[in-house]
Amino acid sequence: MILLTALIAFGFLVGAAAHTSLPVFLTASAAITAWLLAFGVREGLARLRQR
């Protein structure tokens, strides 16, 4: 059931991305990438502090 939900969500996001203009898509992609990088750095620093 989780896999089905993930596939539906992925299809929805890909469909939404296909109907947006390229500048909007690239801006959203850059924002998501920056958020994921910040999250990864924060988690990495938290793991280093635990040691």
Side-chain angles (χ1 to χ4, degrees):
M1 193 63 161
I2 293 173
L3 181 60
L4 179 62
T5 305
L7 287 174
I8 290 171
F10 182 70
F12 178 75
L13 291 174
V14 169
H19 292 289
T20 60
S21 64
L22 186 60
V24 172
F25 176 74
L26 292 177
T27 303
S29 298
I32 292 169
T33 301
W35 182 78
L36 288 173
L37 284 172
F39 179 78
V41 168
R42 189 184 74 180
E43 289 296 315
L45 290 175
R47 284 183 187 221
L48 286 176
R49 287 186 194 134
Q50 285 180 349
R51 292 182 182 176

